[in-house]
Amino acid sequence: MTPADQPRLQGYPLSDSKSGSSVRDAVTRWFFDDYLPLLVGVGSGTIARGPEFILDYWGVPLHYCTPDGGKWLLDAAGVVGLLERSYSRLRAQGYSYTAVPDRNVTVYHDAGAAIEVIWSRCRADDSEIERVAVHFEVARGSAGWRAVGIQTTPTTANSLNASWGGAT
């Protein structure tokens, strides 16, 4: 059977297939205009919502990986628990906001992208609690965009290029 003879899967048109720009705009807005302000607002206590909101942004299952190792979070409780632990740790140190010194969006196709950011997590006095480089693998399905994998590493850098090292 040749590719032309194979049946086409039925799906929904997600963007103009001639250009990834509409996908790039959509995923960038979703992440930086919707997800990030809510993530920061709930974390800092300026938005009164429970951590379950994260299920509108992080998929289940979710793969989460740090330099210490990775794990699959196989259910909603595991995904919400990851966020709760992060919030508890940050709040105990006076978390107020997150600055983004560098970011990059890569579109693979209409239903897949990667978003990389440096999160500078800070107190109200602008002192930094931590700085991490984070890679979000995101996929678009019937419920919209969701992170399906997250890689994170501590960094002191201001640029993503300087943040990703790893063994050579």
Side-chain angles (χ1 to χ4, degrees):
M1 184 180 280
T2 66
D5 296 330
Q6 293 176 351
R8 287 189 53 105
L9 297 175
Q10 295 300 311
Y12 299 98
L14 299 172
S15 75
D16 176 1
S17 61
K18 296 176 187 169
S19 169
S21 66
S22 62
V23 175
R24 180 180 313 285
D25 292 346
V27 74
T28 299
R29 279 191 311 273
W30 168 79
F31 192 88
F32 292 103
D33 298 342
D34 191 12
Y35 166 68
L36 179 58
L38 187 57
L39 181 74
V40 170
V42 174
S44 68
T46 61
I47 296 175
R49 285 191 63 185
E52 298 79 14
F53 83 89
I54 202 61
L55 298 174
D56 290 336
Y57 299 93
W58 293 357
V60 177
L62 175 74
H63 189 261
Y64 182 75
C65 194
T66 72
D68 296 328
K71 62 183 170 183
W72 281 101
L73 305 169
L74 300 176
D75 57 26
V79 172
V80 171
L82 174 65
L83 182 66
E84 287 178 315
R85 288 185 298 279
S86 177
Y87 277 166
S88 292
R89 182 179 49 76
L90 290 169
R91 288 174 180 151
Q93 297 179 66
Y95 177 72
S96 178
Y97 69 94
T98 296
V100 183
D102 196 13
R103 68 189 215 180
N104 184 57
V105 177
T106 302
V107 173
Y108 302 131
H109 45 71
D110 285 352
I115 300 168
E116 294 184 320
V117 292
I118 294 178
W119 290 151
S120 173
R121 294 172 170 151
C122 300
R123 297 174 187 89
D125 67 3
D126 297 329
S127 62
E128 191 170 77
I129 298 168
E130 70 180 8
R131 181 175 292 224
V132 291
V134 188
H135 172 96
F136 293 87
E137 199 68 24
V138 299
R140 181 163 51 180
S142 60
W145 289 104
R146 296 291 185 273
V148 295
I150 301 172
Q151 299 277 343
T152 183
T153 191
T155 187
T156 58
N158 287 321
S159 75
L160 288 163
N161 286 341
S163 295
W164 300 119
T168 56

